[in-house]
Amino acid sequence: MAITIKDVAKLAGTSTATVSKVMNGSYSISEATANKVKQAMEELDYHPNAVARMFAKQSTKTVIFLATIEKNSGYSNPQLFEMICGLEQALSNKKYALLIKNISPDETPDYVENAMQCRICDGFVIHASVISKRLDSLFFEHEIPHIVIGTPNFKSHFCWIDIDNRLAGEMAITHLFRKGYQRPAYIGGKEDDNISNHRLEGIISVFEKHSVNFDERLIKRGESEPDNGYNSTLEILGKYNCVDSIICANNYITYGCVQALIERKVNIPGDIGVITFDDYPFSKVLRPQISVVDIDVFDVGVQAGKYILHKIKKPNTYVQSYITVPVLIERESTNKRETRLRKI
Amino acid sequence: MAITIKDVAKLAGTSTATVSKVMNGSYSISEATANKVKQAMEELDYHPNAVARMFAKQSTKTVIFLATIEKNSGYSNPQLFEMICGLEQALSNKKYALLIKNISPDETPDYVENAMQCRICDGFVIHASVISKRLDSLFFEHEIPHIVIGTPNFKSHFCWIDIDNRLAGEMAITHLFRKGYQRPAYIGGKEDDNISNHRLEGIISVFEKHSVNFDERLIKRGESEPDNGYNSTLEILGKYNCVDSIICANNYITYGCVQALIERKVNIPGDIGVITFDDYPFSKVLRPQISVVDIDVFDVGVQAGKYILHKIKKPNTYVQSYITVPVLIERESTNKRETRLRKI
DNA sequence: TTGAAAGCGCTAACAT
DNA sequence: ATGTTAGCGCTTTCAA
């Protein structure tokens, strides 16, 4: 059997309560006894039993992260893991443990309810892809410390944190204008792709601010695949030779777009500027390198971690949303060398 | 306060011991009392306190995964997360929890020692990037259940599991030969890149089996970046027009290689066949699509999970290595339409 | 088949 | 400032 608090107490000639107080840094202990105890711990190479501690304190110092993570998630959703990295950092800093659990949306409420009743963790960080109305009611009734990463697409009481894709769209178009481009086109994912939608909304809002309409014919939608980028670009080149820049909703579309431009010997950034979102995986590798509005997904994880810890400490605070800001990474693909004097 | 075992016992008119036995499926309980107890649990909506259970049983049902995971790991090392996905699945299946902890190689031994002494987990899965000789001694002395993912590059007592990159190399070259290619070149990462080295070893071994030498001039090494692939390919095209195929050590090199071939209007797969390793991230997207020898990294995680659980149950079993097998994914880039009758 | 009771190792309220 | 002691909720041995 391992060394316990009793052994330490015996060797130090004190009670176990005193040892406990020394471990937990109570001020009501004289330096002399504290030293005796510390020495005894040292001598015996004592390590307090973590589970016994959790048990006595009724707290686990553990946060569970819930999302659907299955075969291929590592490849198909690196951002999820980038968030996890940030989350781990924030929790680890405060001596909290991070437990990862794969789950489907319908299992989540039962799992959460059970986990709370079994007191398996102190709180939850939940990816928006596994939330549901049932989960919302559960949280609302039981006041379970949680934070959702991603925006719920229904009315709810969740605390959530997300990326501001509208703002990212605004930043992309603003950058193009600043660089002297005047007639951008947009190639997005399918109509039901919310990320593409929000980015587009941001773009349109900037046009509106200047009281200009974004010509709808210059908005293309399709699969988030290189083929869509390729075909849409050819279409744009064929029909609208006024276009001087293309905003691609994501890296996959960008890849096809750039292929098409190179094939048609269209100069980037001279003839057409290209900008996209998220610095992954093609934007760095393509030639020319592509300017992007990037989002610090790691930081989203960090913020989620900080928030859940805060919530665990002070369950009565309530923030519904909390947002991280995109960053522009300027590269060759938008480096138009023309005069910037014209106004749109 | 939540419902406890006492409440259940009282309602069922039994002792807490009986309730415990019912929960744990002891056969020495009559069906009648078992039913009474189950009904009482139902009625009270009883959920046993997980921490109390761990405490009484002196087991945590938790495995800790240790690796260096920091900002950008999600992007730069998706395979790591793919493994984690597999690991989670294997553990979850057996009701074990997976705890993720970021750590550096020098912190690992202290962390592990402390975690074991505090009985924070039942075992460890450790990425080879954070192992050390000190850790090896620690494990050897204390017999801590563990498994390392990746091959230790020093003599050790670790249990480890890895991918067989030599075999992957053999499979790549064998595929080329089978398709009728006769003069392959190899573009690898830098000399100290073990993955590239092992893949090359496998290739060479197949040549040796046929008592043929692999012409050293056709082996290029450099950064694992598109630029290296591009430049090496141009060099090969310029100097050695006998070459009819290229084996790229990874996707980044492949990307540059294919760019160069397309630029020089070399037909893939007609003039030159291309094959690489790991189906990520470019092999699927490039045109033509690239044949790869892929490795099921998810499965590596699953195997690691199964192994660590086994080890926790039966600590005296010992397996030093345990390997998952690569899979050939045949695509356009090696589809030479020539006769296959010639021999090398 | 069931129950009494002694842990599991630590914390915290209360007493001194 | 320190010690006593009663938990925390469940498991398990041993006796009935």
Side-chain angles (χ1 to χ4, degrees):
Chain A
M1 209 71 284
I3 308 295
T4 75
I5 198 171
K6 279 188 189 170
D7 303 307
V8 178
K10 192 179 291 172
L11 181 61
T14 68
S15 73
T16 59
T18 305
V19 177
S20 171
K21 282 169 190 158
V22 171
M23 283 195 289
N24 294 289
S26 161
Y27 291 107
S28 75
I29 297 290
S30 75
E31 221 181 296
T33 35
N35 284 335
K36 262 195 305 184
V37 169
K38 279 176 194 164
Q39 204 181 320
M41 298 201 309
E42 190 87 358
E43 212 165 300
L44 295 168
D45 192 27
Y46 168 69
H47 293 258
N49 179 312
V51 176
R53 257 179 136 160
M54 288 188 206
F55 180 51
K57 286 197 169 169
Q58 298 282 81
S59 121
T60 60
K61 293 267 212 170
T62 298
V63 167
I64 301 187
F65 177 78
L66 296 175
T68 304
I69 47 172
E70 351 166 73
K71 185 151 183 158
N72 217 41
S73 294
Y75 297 134
S76 64
N77 199 350
Q79 333 219 342
L80 181 68
F81 292 97
E82 194 59 23
M83 282 174 193
I84 291 179
C85 294
L87 182 59
E88 195 281 335
Q89 188 187 78
L91 296 180
S92 229
N93 268 343
K94 301 291 181 189
K95 307 284 176 205
Y96 268 71
L98 171 62
L99 216 144
I100 304 284
K101 171 76 186 164
N102 168 41
I103 205 149
S104 68
D106 17 303
E107 294 168 321
T108 306
D110 288 341
Y111 178 83
V112 166
E113 189 168 9
N114 186 58
M116 281 316 284
Q117 285 166 322
C118 296
R119 287 153 199 289
I120 233 172
C121 71
D122 297 348
F124 294 94
V125 176
I126 304 176
H127 194 256
S129 59
V130 297
I131 65 175
S132 58
K133 291 189 179 172
R134 227 178 101 218
L135 187 69
D136 185 43
S137 332
L138 184 70
F139 279 168
F140 189 56
E141 285 161 27
H142 293 3
E143 297 199 349
I144 297 170
H146 72 274
I147 181 156
V148 170
I149 296 185
T151 315
N153 56 8
F154 54 91
K155 203 164 150 24
S156 73
H157 312 276
F158 290 121
C159 295
W160 55 270
I161 178 177
D162 201 2
I163 278 158
D164 193 342
N165 279 311
R166 287 186 90 263
L167 179 55
E170 291 179 29
M171 289 173 68
I173 187 79
T174 304
H175 174 66
L176 287 182
F177 285 160
R178 209 173 271 147
K179 281 300 190 174
Y181 295 100
Q182 298 175 338
R183 292 281 278 176
Y186 178 76
I187 309 177
K190 291 204 294 186
E191 309 284 347
D192 63 349
D193 170 5
N194 272 326
I195 297 180
S196 285
N197 292 339
H198 293 146
R199 288 171 178 174
L200 180 56
E201 279 170 33
I203 293 166
I204 290 173
S205 76
V206 171
F207 273 94
E208 283 171 354
K209 221 178 282 165
H210 293 79
S211 311
V212 183
N213 269 330
F214 189 10
D215 186 342
E216 282 195 7
R217 291 168 304 173
L218 300 182
I219 300 174
K220 303 286 166 202
R221 305 297 295 258
E223 295 291 338
S224 286
E225 295 286 344
D227 281 352
N228 173 31
Y230 184 87
N231 294 328
S232 299
T233 301
L234 289 187
E235 199 185 326
I236 291 167
L237 289 179
K239 287 198 201 159
Y240 312 101
N241 59 17
C242 57
V243 165
D244 64 1
S245 49
I246 299 180
I247 305 174
C248 299
N250 61 52
N251 269 252
Y252 289 89
I253 291 172
T254 307
Y255 181 79
C257 165
V258 169
Q259 293 295 103
L261 293 175
I262 290 176
E263 229 177 87
R264 293 298 157 100
K265 306 220 186 298
V266 176
N267 179 266
I268 313 172
D271 301 329
I272 289 202
V274 174
I275 190 167
T276 186
F277 302 89
D278 303 330
D279 200 20
Y280 182 83
F282 299 118
S283 36
K284 261 187 266 197
V285 166
L286 289 171
R287 294 294 174 270
Q289 292 188 309
I290 310 299
S291 295
V292 297
V293 176
D294 192 36
I295 282 155
D296 190 344
V297 196
F298 183 87
D299 187 58
V300 174
V302 172
Q303 299 303 334
K306 286 188 177 165
Y307 182 79
I308 190 67
L309 292 179
H310 182 82
K311 190 81 185 172
I312 288 169
K313 285 232 172 65
K314 304 187 182 165
N316 44 351
T317 54
Y318 183 73
V319 181
Q320 170 120 9
S321 76
Y322 197 177
I323 281 171
T324 38
V325 172
V327 178
L328 176 76
I329 303 179
E330 187 176 341
R331 299 217 180 91
E332 247 180 300
S333 72
T334 52
N335 190 21
K336 192 182 178 76
R337 284 148 208 241
E338 285 186 357
T339 166
R340 298 180 197 178
L341 297 179
R342 300 187 214 156
K343 279 252 173 162
I344 60 157
Chain B
M1 208 71 288
I3 308 294
T4 75
I5 198 171
K6 279 189 190 170
D7 303 309
V8 177
K10 192 179 291 171
L11 181 60
T14 67
S15 73
T16 59
T18 304
V19 176
S20 171
K21 281 168 191 160
V22 171
M23 283 196 287
N24 295 289
S26 163
Y27 292 105
S28 75
I29 298 289
S30 73
E31 220 181 297
T33 33
N35 285 334
K36 264 196 304 184
V37 169
K38 279 177 193 162
Q39 204 182 319
M41 299 201 309
E42 191 86 358
E43 212 165 299
L44 295 169
D45 191 27
Y46 168 70
H47 292 258
N49 179 312
V51 176
R53 258 179 138 161
M54 287 188 208
F55 180 50
K57 286 200 168 166
Q58 298 282 81
S59 121
T60 59
K61 292 267 213 171
T62 298
V63 167
I64 300 187
F65 177 78
L66 296 175
T68 303
I69 46 172
E70 350 166 75
K71 186 154 181 151
N72 217 42
S73 293
Y75 296 134
S76 64
N77 200 350
Q79 334 218 341
L80 182 68
F81 293 97
E82 194 59 24
M83 281 174 195
I84 291 179
C85 294
L87 183 59
E88 196 279 336
Q89 188 186 78
L91 296 180
S92 229
N93 267 343
K94 301 291 181 187
K95 308 283 176 206
Y96 268 71
L98 172 62
L99 217 146
I100 304 283
K101 170 76 187 165
N102 167 42
I103 205 149
S104 69
D106 16 302
E107 294 167 320
T108 306
D110 288 342
Y111 178 83
V112 166
E113 190 168 7
N114 186 58
M116 281 316 284
Q117 286 167 323
C118 296
R119 288 152 197 289
I120 234 173
C121 70
D122 297 347
F124 294 93
V125 175
I126 304 176
H127 194 255
S129 59
V130 297
I131 65 175
S132 59
K133 292 190 179 173
R134 229 177 100 219
L135 187 69
D136 185 43
S137 332
L138 184 70
F139 279 167
F140 189 56
E141 285 160 25
H142 293 5
E143 297 198 349
I144 298 170
H146 73 273
I147 182 156
V148 170
I149 296 185
T151 315
N153 57 7
F154 53 90
K155 204 166 151 21
S156 73
H157 312 277
F158 290 121
C159 296
W160 55 270
I161 179 177
D162 201 3
I163 278 157
D164 194 340
N165 279 310
R166 286 186 90 263
L167 179 55
E170 290 179 29
M171 289 173 67
I173 187 79
T174 304
H175 174 66
L176 287 182
F177 285 159
R178 210 173 271 148
K179 282 301 189 174
Y181 295 100
Q182 299 176 339
R183 291 282 278 175
Y186 178 76
I187 308 177
K190 291 204 295 186
E191 308 284 346
D192 63 349
D193 170 5
N194 272 325
I195 297 181
S196 285
N197 292 340
H198 292 147
R199 289 171 176 174
L200 180 56
E201 279 170 33
I203 294 166
I204 290 174
S205 76
V206 172
F207 273 94
E208 283 171 354
K209 223 178 280 167
H210 293 79
S211 310
V212 183
N213 269 329
F214 188 10
D215 186 343
E216 283 195 5
R217 292 169 305 174
L218 300 183
I219 301 174
K220 303 285 166 202
R221 305 297 294 259
E223 295 291 338
S224 286
E225 296 285 345
D227 281 352
N228 173 32
Y230 184 88
N231 295 327
S232 299
T233 301
L234 289 187
E235 198 185 326
I236 291 168
L237 288 179
K239 287 196 200 161
Y240 312 100
N241 60 16
C242 56
V243 165
D244 63 0
S245 49
I246 300 180
I247 304 174
C248 298
N250 61 53
N251 269 253
Y252 289 89
I253 290 172
T254 306
Y255 181 80
C257 166
V258 168
Q259 293 296 103
L261 293 175
I262 290 176
E263 229 177 87
R264 293 299 158 98
K265 307 220 186 297
V266 175
N267 178 266
I268 312 172
D271 301 329
I272 288 203
V274 174
I275 189 167
T276 186
F277 302 89
D278 303 330
D279 200 20
Y280 182 84
F282 300 118
S283 36
K284 262 186 264 195
V285 166
L286 288 171
R287 293 294 175 268
Q289 292 188 308
I290 309 299
S291 295
V292 298
V293 176
D294 191 36
I295 281 155
D296 189 344
V297 197
F298 184 86
D299 187 59
V300 175
V302 172
Q303 298 304 333
K306 286 188 177 165
Y307 182 78
I308 190 67
L309 292 179
H310 182 83
K311 190 80 184 173
I312 288 169
K313 285 232 172 65
K314 303 187 181 166
N316 46 350
T317 53
Y318 183 74
V319 181
Q320 169 119 9
S321 74
Y322 197 176
I323 281 172
T324 38
V325 172
V327 179
L328 177 75
I329 303 179
E330 189 175 341
R331 299 216 180 91
E332 247 179 299
S333 73
T334 53
N335 190 21
K336 192 183 179 75
R337 283 148 209 241
E338 286 186 356
T339 166
R340 298 179 196 179
L341 296 177
R342 299 186 216 158
K343 280 252 172 159
I344 60 159

